[in-house]
Amino acid sequence: VLVADYAKAFDLVDEPAFAWWVPYTLRKRDVIVSMVNARVKKKTHKYGVEVPRNLKEAMELDRKNGNRMWRDAYEKEMRNVSVAFRILKRGQKAPVGYTRSSGHLIFDVKMDFTRKARWVKDGHRTPDPETSNYAGVVSRESIRIALTYAALHDVPVMAADIRNAYLQAPSTEKHFIVCGPEFGLENEGCVAVIERALYGGKCAGRDYWHHLRKLMNQLGFHSSRADPDVWYRESTRKSDGSAYYEYVLLYTDDILVISDRAESILRKEIGEHFTLKEESIGVPSQYLGGKMRKVELQNGVNAWAFSSAQYVKEAVQNVEEYLSTIDRRLSPRTATPLTLNYRPEVDVSPELDAKLASYYQSLIGILRWIVELGRVDICVEVSMMSAHLALPRQGHLDEVLRIFAYLKCHSNAEMVFDPTEVNLPQGDFEKQDWSFYPFYKEAVSEGDQLPPNMPKPRGKSMTMRVFVDSDHAGDSVTRRSRTGFVVFLNQSPIYWYSKKQGSCETSTFGSEFVAMKQACEYVKGLRYKLRMMGINVDEPTFIYGDNKSVLANTANPGSTLKKKSAAVAYHFVRDGCARDEWRTSYINTHLNVADLFTKPLPSGEKRWRFVGMLLHHVVPKQYL
């Protein structure tokens, strides 16, 4: 396509080499673009409520429904967004150097059926910024680490939302608009200079992010180099006066504070510079779409728990509402997410039309977020179905709907970030002497290298365990293997992974070694993150695998590699063992929870035992 565009731009279309090919390629491009555009889902209703596309339709819906719901939402938004504009006198021109932009109102329905309006800037019509417009959010694994840390040290946790977050940050873009009817008759047609960051602006996220970071620096917090949206500050405990770190985690306008003085930080420090939603300040009950609560475990330990049950139920309800329009319904009894032995890559059922393909893509997006919220029991199944977004078939849609049927039958799942210390079986991870082997003398002498700019560690350390596995040649078409692993801090699940490997391995040994290398790469990054958060890491990571050949080549200093194709993985893993960054040991495949992330397991004692190690309240009674 680029070559065809080039030929057309330089008047080469009539040349013999391009005469037939360029028109054909450009026509094909236009057809593909139109098909993609047709698959974009156009919503007219949400939760059964008709959603207007503009202000005129909103007023018409209010008149038809005999209420003021949309008008109230519109008026509330215009009151809030008015601080972003400096409206000039009628006839006055914009300052020199400012360029014209535009914007419009969009309407939405919240989960509680509250009507919402938002004035957004038409950022797609403005030039691209010359500098980076990056704006980050805290990672989900950092949130899980922080909640485990809070439970381990009995530190209070509080949350809050920033009201109209973007509007509280100054804009770096020099734009103006001409006021439309939504600004009122007295202002319609006047020039308004944009002075605050607005939703839809290309630099709005960056402007807000930098403004918030500037405030956090002023408050004496330090941004973690491993996760820029994790902020820490040294303080002393109220109970015993010992030193510890208080944390602030930022996810756009959602704030999570872990400190003995959490409420004071929110109200008297952050709240002095940003307007917080009063009703949101307190012990978190909902965060990023999931329910949060503090629970007491059977051993008497207090821990934070995160549940996606509400989001799952609402997602299932939306699917059922859609299926009712096409005279279908979810299966009432579904024991596993996918049909036994189903392989999506060999599905030859009819391709979906544009409308159903768009619906399939939206369902996959919902399922991916459900996995992020902690439903690890569908992780591998969602990963497999996500590989067919470009060309979904009827069989793929049926299996995705089966995943929703499974979630309907097993919706009440909760992930608990249990800080209880782990007692490893004696003799599983004996330290080996690597000093006699010339390849690793340097690694042994350097040891586990600490980051030079890491903060001084405070508090208790946590034991990191990793379970790793692979499914050799699991893809029936490409014969690529799948890596699966899960990471625990003490008994809290922190991270899970299920993905096809980038290379095609010829043996189980090769695929298992690649999986081990991928797990160790993640472990190296996680150990760095913990240290850059000021969390004590004073012992190696303990990695369990179920392939004895791989473990013999990693844990035994005297072993030699017989397969050169695995040389990179071999030396990387062994180098970490020599530095005592991690140690490896064998676990029976029937006890290796990573098996849950390599292939769909049939319903039975093994699958539900693994699910029970990660989630609470979801395992059927007969398997408890």
Side-chain angles (χ1 to χ4, degrees), residues 415-468:
M415 179 171 283
V416 176
F417 305 112
D418 183 359
T420 305
E421 295 181 5
V422 178
N423 294 318
L424 295 171
Q426 193 172 7
D428 273 9
F429 296 94
E430 292 183 357
K431 186 175 181 178
Q432 303 294 328
D433 185 1
W434 294 78
S435 60
F436 293 98
Y437 298 89
F439 290 126
Y440 305 106
K441 282 187 177 180
E442 184 178 343
V444 172
S445 62
E446 291 177 352
D448 188 3
Q449 294 180 307
L450 303 180
N453 49 1
M454 62 179 276
K456 186 176 180 180
R458 301 291 187 188
K460 304 174 185 176
S461 65
M462 291 181 277
T463 300
M464 188 189 304
R465 293 176 299 152
V466 181
F467 295 83
V468 60

Side-chain angles (χ1 to χ4, degrees), residues 32-43:
I32 293 172
V33 170
S34 64
M35 290 177 65
V36 171
N37 289 335
R39 290 188 175 192
V40 175
K41 197 168 185 180
K42 298 176 176 62
K43 281 190 175 181

Side-chain angles (χ1 to χ4, degrees), residues 109-373:
V109 181
K110 293 184 177 181
M111 288 184 178
D112 59 358
F113 298 101
T114 302
R115 309 311 194 257
K116 182 177 179 63
R118 176 79 73 187
W119 198 95
V120 297
K121 186 178 178 182
D122 293 332
H124 62 287
R125 296 181 176 178
T126 59
D128 291 332
E130 295 181 357
T131 57
S132 171
N133 60 349
Y134 171 79
V137 294
V138 65
S139 68
R140 263 74 69 189
E141 70 175 19
S142 295
I143 296 170
R144 299 179 197 117
I145 291 169
L147 292 176
T148 307
Y149 171 92
L152 180 65
H153 296 86
D154 194 25
V155 182
V157 178
M158 291 192 72
D161 289 350
I162 298 176
R163 188 182 300 279
N164 299 315
Y166 280 17
L167 297 179
Q168 300 193 43
S171 176
T172 58
E173 298 178 289
K174 293 186 175 183
H175 292 150
F176 71 90
I177 64 165
V178 176
C179 296
E182 65 270 25
F183 287 86
L185 292 174
E186 69 279 9
N187 294 320
E188 187 174 0
C190 293
V191 171
V193 177
I194 299 175
E195 296 186 327
R196 303 285 183 93
L198 284 169
Y199 291 98
K202 286 184 176 177
C203 294
R206 180 197 68 185
D207 292 342
Y208 165 72
W209 190 63
H210 282 285
H211 184 60
L212 188 54
R213 290 181 65 82
K214 184 178 178 180
L215 166 65
M216 295 303 295
N217 281 317
Q218 290 175 357
L219 297 178
F221 283 88
H222 302 280
S223 175
S224 171
R225 289 179 177 269
D227 190 336
D229 292 282
V230 173
W231 294 81
Y232 62 91
R233 182 175 68 182
E234 191 166 348
S235 186
T236 54
R237 298 300 307 268
K238 289 182 178 180
S239 56
D240 56 9
S242 60
Y244 81 112
Y245 289 113
E246 45 193 10
Y247 295 95
V248 176
L249 280 61
L250 302 175
Y251 196 104
T252 313
D253 58 349
D254 291 320
I255 307 174
L256 202 65
V257 179
I258 299 169
S259 170
D260 283 340
R261 304 181 306 105
E263 186 170 3
S264 175
I265 290 174
L266 286 171
R267 294 185 182 277
K268 296 181 180 180
E269 297 188 54
I270 298 175
E272 285 292 314
H273 302 271
F274 285 91
T275 303
L276 304 180
K277 297 178 182 178
E278 180 61 34
E279 65 276 12
S280 70
I281 302 175
V283 177
S285 58
Q286 190 158 352
Y287 191 66
L288 303 183
K291 288 284 188 180
M292 275 182 65
R293 67 187 183 116
K294 201 168 187 179
V295 297
E296 183 176 343
L297 305 178
Q298 292 182 349
N299 58 4
V301 173
N302 289 320
W304 284 97
F306 194 90
S307 171
S308 59
Q310 180 184 359
Y311 184 88
V312 167
K313 289 176 182 178
E314 289 167 350
V316 169
Q317 183 180 351
N318 289 338
V319 171
E320 288 184 316
E321 288 175 359
Y322 174 80
L323 292 180
S324 65
T325 64
I326 57 174
D327 199 27
R328 286 188 63 176
R329 62 178 183 175
L330 297 177
S331 174
R333 292 183 181 179
T334 308
T336 57
L338 295 183
T339 304
L340 189 63
N341 297 324
Y342 175 74
R343 306 303 305 183
E345 63 271 16
V346 296
D347 193 314
V348 292
S349 57
E351 297 175 12
L352 297 178
D353 59 28
K355 184 178 179 180
L356 284 177
S358 174
Y359 184 62
Y360 178 87
Q361 292 162 356
S362 68
L363 293 181
I364 290 294
I366 293 170
L367 289 172
R368 281 177 169 174
W369 185 245
I370 289 174
V371 172
E372 281 291 321
L373 292 180

Side-chain angles (χ1 to χ4, degrees), residues 7-174:
K8 184 177 180 181
F10 288 89
D11 296 326
L12 301 175
V13 178
D14 295 331
E15 295 294 326
F18 296 114
W20 72 270
W21 178 79
V22 170
Y24 167 78
T25 302
L26 295 179
R27 282 197 304 271
K28 189 173 181 180
R29 177 200 61 185
D30 295 338
V31 169
I32 293 172
V33 170
S34 64
M35 290 177 65
V36 171
N37 289 335
R39 290 188 175 192
V40 175
K41 197 168 185 180
K42 298 176 176 62
K43 281 190 175 181
T44 58
H45 291 71
K46 187 174 181 180
Y47 305 135
V49 178
E50 187 174 356
V51 181
R53 291 174 294 179
N54 52 51
L55 183 60
K56 183 178 179 181
E57 284 189 13
M59 299 301 101
E60 180 62 25
L61 284 175
D62 275 354
R63 187 193 62 77
K64 188 166 62 175
N65 296 330
N67 56 42
R68 289 176 50 93
M69 288 185 173
W70 291 115
R71 175 179 288 276
D72 290 343
Y74 144 71
E75 291 177 350
K76 178 182 178 182
E77 171 62 14
M78 295 311 297
R79 283 194 303 271
N80 292 333
V81 81
S82 62
V83 299
F85 302 99
R86 177 165 55 89
I87 300 178
L88 306 182
K89 294 180 181 179
R90 191 171 297 277
Q92 186 177 353
K93 294 183 178 180
V96 176
Y98 280 73
T99 57
R100 182 168 177 173
S101 183
S102 60
H104 62 281
L105 279 167
I106 59 173
F107 298 89
D108 196 10
V109 181
K110 293 184 177 181
M111 288 184 178
D112 59 358
F113 298 101
T114 302
R115 309 311 194 257
K116 182 177 179 63
R118 176 79 73 187
W119 198 95
V120 297
K121 186 178 178 182
D122 293 332
H124 62 287
R125 296 181 176 178
T126 59
D128 291 332
E130 295 181 357
T131 57
S132 171
N133 60 349
Y134 171 79
V137 294
V138 65
S139 68
R140 263 74 69 189
E141 70 175 19
S142 295
I143 296 170
R144 299 179 197 117
I145 291 169
L147 292 176
T148 307
Y149 171 92
L152 180 65
H153 296 86
D154 194 25
V155 182
V157 178
M158 291 192 72
D161 289 350
I162 298 176
R163 188 182 300 279
N164 299 315
Y166 280 17
L167 297 179
Q168 300 193 43
S171 176
T172 58
E173 298 178 289
K174 293 186 175 183

